[in-house]
Amino acid sequence: MTDTAPGLPRLGTTLFSLTLEQRRAGGDLAGLVREVAARDLGPGLEMVAFQSLRGWPRLSPEQEREVRGVLDSSGLTPSCLAINNDLGLYPGRLLSDDESYEYVAVQLRGAAALGFPVARVGVETGPAILERLLPLAEQLGVKVGVEIHAPLTIEAAPVAALKELFTRLDTPWLGFVPDMSASMRAVPDAVDDAHRVAGIAPELTALTKQLWAEPGPTMAKFPELERRAAEAGATPPQVGNLKMLFTMHGRMAPERWADFFPHVVHVHGKFYGIVEGPDGLTDPSIDWPAVARVLREQGYDGVVSSEYEAHAYSDRYSAFDQIRAQHDMLKRLLEAEPAVAAR
Amino acid sequence: MFDRYIVCEEGFRALDDGRTGGVVEVRMPYYRGLALSMVEAVDLVVDGRPVPPARTSFTVHGNTYRFDQLPRTTDDRWEMGERAQLAFETDEPLAPGEHEVAVAVRLRISYMPVPSGGRDSKRLTLAA
């Protein structure tokens, strides 16, 4: 395990990092979890329920025993189960509040049965449903965390509403799951591979990266991106791919994560590639020294789940090796930060 | 994101039930499984000719559906990486050899502002 010193944030892995490995035929959950453990990529283990658990949320008792057995025998510690609230389950309408509550409640019970201490939901699970879920979360001993993923930032209206809710309820059972996609310093280079495959000219990718890096709210840059990309000959699907770079990669200052505390129940260590720099391992697209500083200053001692997502753009790199590199980098950064001031 | 995994290179075959047409195996262009009710369309174009949805059927783990049944199917799921069999009828038998197979998948993912999905096109070989 990549154990950090006591009192520091703990490291871990989400199986989402291994999406391509899970897509491959013949792979099974037990083998994948064993490999994460064998490569010392714990102690925390997270997974996406609708990705890694066939039949979720209606697991048979045998399946449930099997998954628990895999987790218990791995030596890893279940950290978080990512669940979903499929508001668009039925064509032509969204789930009602009652349906939405039930859809999540069943999964919360499932998370508890598998021994996960935190369940991640998306921002589509809003304050009213969260408040209804609170008694169940408390009874089950499962915290519910709302993931703050790009394009959300601290300024977004839904985030402000959540912050108000968590402050008012003052409960450890509801909170945020910061995802580093919201606070990036550059568009990752791995997108170049995906754009090459999609036939997008390198100049278009460069233009998008340049617009992305300019100051100002990302949402306000869409018209200029559309206009300039179209002028440069991009087809509508290609413009869609370029716009995706704006929505998947947020530009919030990493220091702003401090504003989400003390209501942070889990952290997604989203990343797209660690490289060897002049001063050791570094991440060109995420400012991890700044993130580590916030986590130490806030006294966070929960799990940072390594969430490698460049597999969406490229299959050129080993996700296992990338997580190893991120763990080595994070351990060094977290342990180098000065001792936490008492809060 | 996972567009290039949609059309499977293996498993392309002629129908073996007396009808003319074929079967192409397809995968979900998403990072997780979705209930079939959230699969809005799996559009198929073979050698440049669109195949009407009414002449196709969709099979996951042995369960076969017509496309007009999918919107009501909330209790079965197309899992990530799972090969679904997209069977299609044609007027003429498919000739052995190479065929251009294009598939566009539309998914209704609730937190995305626009319909999601993906498209992929591959040259597949039908054995003689």
Side-chain angles (χ1 to χ4, degrees), chain A residues 191-264:
Chain A
V191 303
D192 297 354
D193 279 16
H195 284 194
R196 201 174 306 118
V197 171
I200 296 172
E203 302 76 52
L204 283 171
T205 307
L207 165 71
T208 312
K209 287 183 177 179
Q210 178 207 323
L211 284 176
W212 183 93
E214 286 174 5
T218 300
M219 290 304 160
K221 297 179 189 173
F222 276 110
E224 189 180 354
L225 173 63
E226 287 175 26
R227 180 179 59 77
R228 290 181 60 181
E231 277 170 14
T235 64
Q238 290 178 340
V239 174
N241 271 316
L242 298 173
K243 286 164 75 174
M244 192 84 164
L245 296 190
F246 278 12
T247 47
M248 289 298 286
H249 308 297
R251 295 181 65 250
M252 187 176 76
E255 291 77 15
R256 299 303 300 278
W257 289 120
D259 300 343
F260 291 80
F261 284 86
H263 307 289
V264 170

Side-chain angles (χ1 to χ4, degrees), chain A residues 54-225:
Chain A
R54 298 247 154 163
W56 176 262
R58 283 178 287 275
L59 304 188
S60 64
E62 297 76 49
Q63 249 183 316
E64 200 175 291
R65 264 199 305 278
E66 195 185 320
V67 175
R68 278 207 78 123
V70 165
L71 296 173
D72 289 347
S73 62
S74 70
L76 299 168
T77 310
S79 62
C80 177
L81 186 68
I83 61 175
N84 292 89
N85 189 357
D86 286 313
L87 297 181
L89 182 67
Y90 300 104
R93 69 176 183 89
L94 296 179
L95 295 187
S96 68
D97 277 4
D98 286 350
E99 288 168 333
S100 173
Y101 169 83
E102 279 305 325
Y103 200 81
V104 178
V106 168
Q107 296 180 72
L108 218 50
R109 292 189 191 98
L114 294 177
F116 286 94
V118 177
R120 162 271 174 221
V121 296
V123 76
E124 66 275 9
T125 301
I129 304 295
L130 288 166
E131 192 162 359
R132 268 178 82 174
L133 287 167
L134 174 57
L136 181 65
E138 196 164 356
Q139 179 206 326
L140 295 171
V142 177
K143 296 178 179 179
V144 182
V146 184
E147 183 179 11
I148 304 303
H149 189 290
L152 292 172
T153 68
I154 186 75
E155 278 95 14
V159 178
L162 290 170
K163 175 102 180 152
E164 193 185 305
L165 176 80
F166 300 154
T167 305
R168 173 167 62 81
L169 297 177
D170 190 25
T171 169
W173 299 103
L174 301 178
F176 293 110
V177 178
D179 182 289
M180 296 308 134
S181 63
S183 60
M184 297 180 67
R185 58 183 171 189
V187 172
D189 286 336
V191 303
D192 297 354
D193 279 16
H195 284 194
R196 201 174 306 118
V197 171
I200 296 172
E203 302 76 52
L204 283 171
T205 307
L207 165 71
T208 312
K209 287 183 177 179
Q210 178 207 323
L211 284 176
W212 183 93
E214 286 174 5
T218 300
M219 290 304 160
K221 297 179 189 173
F222 276 110
E224 189 180 354
L225 173 63

Side-chain angles (χ1 to χ4, degrees), chain B residues 45-123:
Chain B
V45 178
V46 179
D47 298 324
R49 282 186 295 277
V51 180
R55 301 193 79 186
T56 65
S57 67
F58 189 76
T59 302
V60 281
H61 37 261
N63 303 333
T64 298
Y65 301 92
R66 294 189 317 268
F67 272 88
D68 61 3
Q69 292 175 309
L70 292 189
R72 296 189 300 276
T73 308
T74 55
D75 59 352
D76 199 355
R77 191 154 77 227
W78 189 8
E79 302 282 6
M80 183 193 74
E82 182 180 13
R83 289 158 171 262
Q85 287 80 43
L86 183 62
F88 59 97
E89 281 184 74
T90 53
D91 293 332
E92 302 294 328
L94 288 176
E98 282 206 341
H99 293 272
E100 183 70 24
V101 177
V103 176
V105 179
R106 269 188 294 133
L107 304 170
R108 196 173 58 256
I109 298 162
S110 49
Y111 53 81
M112 300 248 186
V114 288
S116 191
R119 53 184 65 239
D120 183 23
S121 178
K122 289 196 180 85
R123 290 199 74 79

Side-chain angles (χ1 to χ4, degrees), chain A residues 294-317:
Chain A
V294 172
L295 297 179
R296 288 296 314 267
E297 281 171 3
Q298 297 298 327
Y300 179 69
D301 61 1
V303 173
V304 178
S305 252
S306 287
E307 192 180 40
Y308 177 70
E309 195 163 342
H311 54 70
Y313 297 130
S314 173
D315 56 8
R316 196 140 56 101
Y317 310 95

